[in-house]
Amino acid sequence: MPALFVTGTGTDVGKTYVSCALIRALKARGAVVDAFKPVVSGFDPKDAAASDPVRLAAALGDPGGMFRIAPRRYRAPLSPNIAARLEGQTLGLDDMVIDAVARAAGLRDGLLLVEGAGGVMSPLTDGETNLDMITALGAPALLVAGSYLGTISHVLTALVALRAAKAEVAAVVISESLDAPDLDQTAQALSPFLAGAPLFLAPRAQAWDAAALAEHLLARPRTP
């Protein structure tokens, strides 16, 4: 399946920042790319312009694409299963997987970025996590982390979970956190523990050009 699952070590580590930069870099190289966010919680319709789906739509050049990108949107800033329950709904993993597969199939030779909610082990439904969706899709994972103190442990823990589930790790991206240790020093400390997973850095001082990440992904063998 021509899809890449963008996951994280936790919430608010920069998944959408990385996804948007990657979309722009892929489009600049003539690649066909689309985005899908199976479920969004903490969505305020009155402040939709700041939401992840609108940012993804803008990166795609599809300003009206929010509803297509994120069909399940809930107000409460809680795990998606709880936020959905507060609105009288129950989330099912099969439904989200079917939607993602259908979206990927429609791209033909393109790449679908499937952006999860929260971290690798964050619940999506009452009994399943982002990791369960990654394995159900059989899609490689792009693991995004912050550069805050403690991130090395979080990255390695997430990698253990992904690899235990036999999920392919396409790359790790360290998205710079505010008021955090030096980004390069963090990368140098983390690198020896990655067991071959490619590492990319996403600084915040200026808009990050994800060219190197895009080239790496385009050069990888495609998942059937």
Side-chain angles (χ1 to χ4, degrees), residues 15-58:
K15 291 190 303 297
T16 303
Y17 174 70
V18 169
S19 293
C20 289
L22 178 56
I23 287 169
R24 291 190 291 267
L26 289 169
K27 286 173 63 69
R29 282 152 184 77
V32 176
V33 61
D34 202 356
F36 177 60
K37 198 159 173 76
V39 60
V40 180
S41 56
F43 180 82
D44 182 357
K46 296 180 180 177
D47 190 26
S51 70
D52 293 348
V54 169
R55 292 165 61 199
L56 291 168

